[in-house]
Amino acid sequence: MCLYCRYLLDKRWYDQWKEYVHAGDQNSSSYPGKIDNTELYEDLDSYHLKERLSENEDFVLVPAEAWHKLLSWYDMMDNQPPLERKVVDLPSTVKVEVYPVEIYLCLSSNMESTVSACFSRADKIREYRLLMDRKTLKRHFYWIFGIYMEFCVSRRNSADEDSYRGPPGVCGLTNLGNTCFMNSALQCLSNTPPLTEYFLRNSYLEELNFTNPLGMKGEIAEAYADVIKQMWSGRHYSVVPRVFKTKVGHFASQFLGYQQHDSQELLSFLLDGLHEDLNRVKKKEYIELRDADGRPDQEVAEEAWRNHLRRNDSVIVDTFHGLFKSTLVCPECNKVSVTFDPFCYLSVPLPVSKERVMEVFYVSLDPTAKPTQYRLIVPKAGQVIDLCTALSQATGVPPNQMAVADVFNHRFYRIYQADESLSCILDRDDIFLSSGCVDQEGEEVVMAIYMRERSHYRDYGSGSNSYSTSLFGHPLLISVPRAQCTREDLYQLLLKRLAINVLALNGMTHCFCLAQPYIAIDWDPDMKKKYYNENEAEKYIKHQSMDVPHQQITVQLQECIELFTTVETLEEENPWYCPTCKKHQLATKKLDLWSLPEVLIIHLKRFSYTKYSREKLDTIVEFPLRDLDFSGFLLKKTVNSTEPPCRYDLISVSNHYGGLRDGHYTSYARNKDNGQWYYFDDSKVTYAREEQIVTSAAYLLFYQRQDKIRQPTVPPPVPSSSQPENHVSSQTHDGMDGASSCVSMETD
């Protein structure tokens, strides 16, 4: 038994097991059955894990001793491998390799003969050799392979790094454990030409501000410069930003450790930190801000920008800062307050749909009717009763006579109350709606019906001298008048209800009703095999609503910018103090763009937090790669030919895949030297086509003003058609330290 390993266990199976143990009833319907990790796999042929699984949401990690106890008690589903993962003790953290490094092993005598295997980065070469024996490859090939593999590993560690020459900037960043958010933001900034050239020219050395109390003593700027110089040296497949990560955590405690974070939050901190570390203003003077008081916008805006530069003057201001006009109107006295404020990026809202599409299964009271799958449209902020109402319109069954339940592992994982919020139901849940007894009067009891297969042998070890059972088939819900809860009435009701699945009545060995509101039907294994039609029981009908393709919402970037400039009323948590009324007011607020920077960062606010729900918006935002025209949004109109144009081209994108509590960040970026687009996924870099860039994952957009864009100085590379997935580089410069495969407790 490995003392330094953990085992992955399906979260739902684990929760069901905890409920079973807590109930303390061996005959409880919550008996979990065999350990089943099916939901964690991409498919049951290769048993590859799904990408981006999240701890405590998809799986739990249990110690080896606990795993072996569970295995001895419950066994495991046939053919499923145990998901053993090593614990890797690294500086400052202990991590579990949920996704080990996958390596393709090939014979040097036959490069087409390959096998794949997963290794811990703590493994040694001898583990490779032992694996080859287990793969039953011939001995005389083994030594050829062994030499070849050892040569490759040593070459990657030394000579390969010295001799590698690649396009500057086309360089991955090693994932240190949930640091994809940082890598994504760094790749976007790295491919921002004016900022990168500033550091490559060493211009920052003359402007380091070591005395700024708001800065980081120049340490963030120096650490960032070191990363950029490595990435643009053309000598690395991938750079390990460990020192930079340490510096960030030192000055911003929220980024300490190896938890998942937001790339926009990291970007905001980094831009502010670089600005203060490189601020050319060594002593900031106090400046009293003035309201417009009816003065012309041009005058007030110029004054505001001058005041801003008196305290803030850096390459970050030169590159990223713009100015917008803020107008507040008091709802009581109509006082109008106008100020001009600098910004470093625009956080624009996405149109939020008030509706949600849900897929459910309806189980009729009619025993001859198969379950039917429906696709329904419900209010996003609605309740479970709204789901019943939507289904009622399709079925004609009154909504108050429906029961809604989440089914998992042949049992009801949860039965919902009518007034519960629909936000409690996840899109991946299997939701069943059952109709009750509509022709009876009086108080009714809702009961669950579970089908259980009895083992051939008695469980003498537990001291109960009883048979163990395992659930199978679909559970059912029935509503019965309390007066008809007699054994005979229930028996007859169940025979009628199960008629469609049961070929002979004597297949049911017995029925008993416990104090708890559920009924268990135990089947003898031989009788089940002979009389229970499993194929028929699993069939269901797709309603015509399922044939209508789910249309993903698509909006234009310009719509988001229009929403940003729309009048809104301040929230109660953030009122404005009216100087005329002398009290806080829920004023109306309007933001207008006055002037734009050379590089405009647009933050798409995909994470929505309301009183009713918390969600990530997967809306596709159509954003142009070229000619993004802001002339219609700028309040300040061009007055002479010296004014900069308002057209921008895209240079990079930070992507977020996943939901609220987990996810993975990547980035697209256009190389400033050759004009080629690349896809950066931690240490892996691949060529990218322009048609790949606009997706529902786009989170941060970096645009550069067209008059500042420099034409490529070197010809773009020609991707080889023989290279799978347009491969550029995926090896880390420190060999097995490919941390995109080694994640900490929360999946990256």
Side-chain angles (χ1 to χ4, degrees):
M1 183 185 300
C2 178
L3 296 178
Y4 300 100
C5 67
R6 295 288 186 272
Y7 286 82
L8 270 71
L9 195 58
D10 181 87
K11 177 66 161 53
R12 285 196 172 186
W13 188 95
Y14 179 73
D15 287 344
Q16 186 173 334
W17 171 77
K18 287 198 302 182
E19 182 179 334
Y20 172 69
V21 173
H22 184 273
D25 179 5
Q26 285 193 327
N27 294 316
S28 170
S29 63
S30 61
Y31 180 77
K34 293 182 178 181
I35 297 173
D36 187 1
N37 286 331
T38 300
E39 292 297 317
L40 302 182
Y41 295 115
E42 194 69 47
D43 59 77
L44 295 181
D45 294 325
S46 64
Y47 287 108
H48 281 171
L49 287 184
K50 292 178 181 177
E51 294 184 4
R52 296 182 285 277
L53 295 173
S54 176
E55 189 188 9
N56 294 326
E57 183 171 329
D58 301 300
F59 66 88
V60 294
L61 291 163
V62 298
E65 184 176 1
W67 165 261
H68 288 291
K69 285 287 188 183
L70 291 172
L71 190 62
S72 66
W73 292 335
Y74 302 99
D75 200 2
M76 193 167 188
M77 295 296 289
D78 295 342
N79 300 320
Q80 283 194 16
L83 294 173
E84 179 183 349
R85 294 296 185 263
K86 291 188 177 180
V87 176
V88 182
D89 193 358
L90 296 173
S92 303
T93 186
V94 174
K95 297 187 291 187
V96 177
E97 292 178 307
V98 174
Y99 296 94
V101 181
E102 184 172 14
I103 296 179
Y104 289 88
L105 311 175
C106 57
L107 300 174
S108 59
S109 60
N110 181 6
M111 299 302 287
E112 296 181 357
S113 178
T114 63
V115 292
S116 65
C118 292
F119 293 95
S120 163
R121 63 175 177 171
D123 288 338
K124 308 299 181 184
I125 294 297
R126 62 176 175 268
E127 269 85 10
Y128 305 155
R129 292 175 172 170
L130 291 174
L131 176 86
M132 297 308 294
D133 282 338
R134 292 198 295 271
K135 294 288 184 181
T136 67
L137 295 180
K138 294 182 180 178
R139 178 67 61 178
H140 65 278
F141 282 130
Y142 165 81
W143 282 110
I144 296 175
F145 171 79
I147 295 171
Y148 173 78
M149 191 65 196
E150 288 183 6
F151 168 74
C152 285
V153 173
S154 62
R155 187 171 68 85
R156 288 175 189 163
N157 282 338
S158 56
D160 206 31
E161 188 66 19
D162 295 333
S163 62
Y164 173 75
R165 291 295 181 270
V170 184
C171 175
L173 289 168
T174 298
N175 192 314
L176 305 174
N178 280 331
T179 56
C180 60
F181 73 96
M182 181 182 78
N183 293 347
S184 176
L186 283 175
Q187 290 289 6
C188 289
L189 282 180
S190 169
N191 286 278
T192 299
L195 185 64
T196 291
E197 289 169 358
Y198 169 86
F199 281 98
L200 295 181
R201 292 194 308 265
N202 288 328
S203 300
Y204 72 99
L205 293 175
E206 299 177 357
E207 297 184 342
L208 284 170
N209 191 331
F210 300 106
T211 60
N212 185 354
L214 299 178
M216 286 77 175
K217 303 177 182 179
E219 294 182 27
I220 287 293
E222 290 178 323
Y224 177 79
D226 182 60
V227 171
I228 292 299
K229 289 179 180 179
Q230 290 185 64
M231 295 174 67
W232 287 85
S233 68
R235 296 195 301 269
H236 303 288
Y237 291 115
S238 180
V239 169
V240 183
R242 196 179 305 279
V243 174
F244 178 80
K245 167 70 170 63
T246 302
K247 292 292 185 183
V248 169
H250 176 72
F251 290 104
S253 59
Q254 67 267 33
F255 298 115
L256 280 172
Y258 294 87
Q259 301 299 312
Q260 180 64 280
H261 292 284
D262 189 308
S263 67
Q264 188 270 334
E265 292 178 1
L266 185 281
L267 178 70
S268 177
F269 161 78
L270 184 54
L271 289 175
D272 186 63
L274 290 175
H275 161 65
E276 297 296 356
D277 269 4
L278 299 168
N279 199 340
R280 300 170 187 125
V281 178
K282 306 304 179 183
K283 185 176 181 180
K284 295 186 178 185
E285 56 181 306
Y286 173 76
I287 299 174
E288 185 174 354
L289 299 180
R290 298 172 57 197
D291 194 79
D293 287 331
R295 292 181 293 160
D297 283 351
Q298 183 77 22
E299 177 187 337
V300 181
E302 290 177 354
E303 177 186 79
W305 188 249
R306 285 196 306 270
N307 289 339
H308 180 57
L309 293 181
R310 287 163 65 184
R311 293 173 56 85
N312 304 279
D313 183 15
S314 71
V315 66
I316 302 300
V317 175
D318 299 341
T319 308
F320 298 102
H321 282 206
L323 201 65
F324 58 65
K325 176 185 177 182
S326 174
T327 305
L328 289 164
V329 179
C330 178
E332 188 171 319
C333 70
N334 293 321
K335 161 69 177 177
V336 178
S337 173
V338 175
T339 58
F340 285 80
D341 305 299
F343 66 86
C344 193
Y345 50 84
L346 297 181
S347 290
V348 300
L350 274 61
V352 179
S353 172
K354 296 182 180 180
E355 296 178 334
R356 174 183 176 186
V357 176
M358 297 186 70
E359 295 180 3
V360 300
F361 292 91
Y362 171 65
V363 182
S364 171
L365 187 64
D366 182 0
T368 64
K370 292 183 175 65
T372 305
Q373 187 180 26
Y374 289 84
R375 179 174 286 155
L376 306 173
I377 298 177
V378 296
K380 183 173 290 186
Q383 297 178 327
V384 170
I385 188 62
D386 296 309
L387 179 62
C388 298
T389 301
L391 185 60
S392 174
Q393 294 172 358
T395 62
V397 177
N400 62 348
Q401 294 181 357
M402 293 181 182
V404 182
D406 180 6
V407 174
F408 171 72
N409 202 10
H410 313 294
R411 66 181 290 272
F412 293 113
Y413 185 71
R414 179 175 178 182
I415 298 178
Y416 295 95
Q417 301 300 315
D419 59 353
E420 286 190 78
S421 172
L422 285 176
S423 62
C424 297
I425 302 178
L426 304 179
D427 289 334
R428 68 185 184 190
D429 292 342
D430 289 330
I431 301 300
F432 284 68
L433 282 80
S434 300
S435 56
C437 297
V438 299
D439 57 349
Q440 301 290 341
E441 296 181 358
E443 186 179 358
E444 296 183 344
V445 178
V446 176
M447 289 192 235
I449 306 174
Y450 293 117
M451 310 285 282
R452 303 196 307 198
E453 181 177 2
R454 196 179 66 184
S455 67
H456 280 288
Y457 308 102
R458 292 184 183 274
D459 185 10
Y460 295 103
S462 65
S464 62
N465 193 22
S466 61
Y467 292 95
S468 62
T469 59
S470 59
L471 295 173
F472 71 92
H474 287 302
L476 299 171
L477 278 178
I478 61 171
S479 180
V480 184
R482 188 175 296 277
Q484 296 185 10
C485 286
T486 66
R487 179 184 180 89
E488 182 60 28
D489 287 338
L490 291 174
Y491 186 85
Q492 294 300 324
L493 176 64
L494 295 180
L495 290 183
K496 179 181 177 181
R497 186 65 185 86
L498 299 173
I500 192 173
N501 301 331
V502 181
L503 299 180
L505 298 183
N506 62 352
M508 183 170 63
T509 58
H510 64 276
C511 167
F512 58 93
C513 181
L514 302 179
Q516 297 176 353
Y518 76 85
I519 299 172
I521 304 175
D522 286 358
W523 289 74
D524 176 84
D526 294 331
M527 293 296 100
K528 173 178 174 287
K529 184 176 181 180
K530 185 176 181 179
Y531 294 115
Y532 186 80
N533 190 336
E534 291 194 61
N535 290 332
E536 191 68 24
E538 293 296 326
K539 290 181 180 178
Y540 66 91
I541 299 172
K542 283 193 174 184
H543 186 259
Q544 60 185 13
S545 61
M546 295 297 299
D547 297 330
V548 180
H550 175 46
Q551 297 292 330
Q552 189 165 20
I553 300 175
T554 301
V555 300
Q556 301 296 316
L557 177 61
Q558 287 83 346
E559 295 178 57
C560 302
I561 299 172
E562 287 175 0
L563 279 176
F564 176 79
T565 58
T566 300
V567 176
E568 63 177 355
T569 302
L570 296 179
E571 297 178 348
E572 294 181 1
E573 298 81 12
N574 188 30
W576 170 67
Y577 183 80
C578 176
T580 303
C581 297
K582 305 296 183 183
K583 63 180 179 180
H584 288 91
Q585 299 280 14
L586 298 182
T588 59
K589 181 179 182 180
K590 189 177 190 306
L591 293 177
D592 290 291
L593 299 176
W594 180 261
S595 63
L596 298 177
E598 175 183 343
V599 175
L600 177 62
I601 303 174
I602 301 177
H603 166 222
L604 303 177
K605 297 172 69 173
R606 291 198 175 276
F607 298 101
S608 172
Y609 303 96
T610 68
K611 296 179 180 178
Y612 307 103
S613 64
R614 300 163 64 89
E615 63 177 334
K616 182 199 171 185
L617 305 177
D618 288 320
T619 306
I620 295 179
V621 178
E622 295 278 359
F623 51 89
L625 273 63
R626 298 177 184 84
D627 296 320
L628 175 58
D629 188 359
F630 272 91
S631 58
F633 295 104
L634 274 180
L635 201 61
K636 176 185 179 182
K637 303 302 180 183
T638 302
V639 294
N640 54 56
S641 58
T642 62
E643 295 287 343
C646 303
R647 291 184 179 271
Y648 287 77
D649 288 351
L650 188 74
I651 56 174
S652 63
V653 180
S654 173
N655 304 300
H656 178 269
Y657 302 91
L660 281 174
R661 292 183 294 273
D662 67 335
H664 182 61
Y665 288 91
T666 66
S667 53
Y668 287 106
R670 179 181 180 272
N671 186 275
K672 67 182 182 65
D673 294 337
N674 60 32
Q676 169 69 44
W677 280 92
Y678 296 94
Y679 182 63
F680 298 90
D681 185 353
D682 289 330
S683 58
K684 184 178 181 180
V685 185
T686 54
Y687 293 109
R689 301 186 304 275
E690 290 189 353
E691 57 267 26
Q692 296 175 299
I693 296 171
V694 179
T695 71
S696 61
Y699 185 47
L700 298 174
L701 309 177
F702 283 63
Y703 280 94
Q704 187 174 14
R705 207 168 62 216
Q706 285 182 343
D707 66 314
K708 293 292 187 177
I709 295 178
R710 185 185 65 189
Q711 294 301 312
T713 56
V714 297
V718 180
S720 171
S721 60
S722 62
Q723 293 173 321
E725 297 183 359
N726 291 333
H727 174 76
V728 178
S729 68
S730 62
Q731 304 297 330
T732 54
H733 82 277
D734 52 350
M736 289 295 290
D737 192 23
S740 62
S741 299
C742 179
V743 300
S744 65
M745 294 299 191
E746 289 189 7
T747 306
D748 202 3

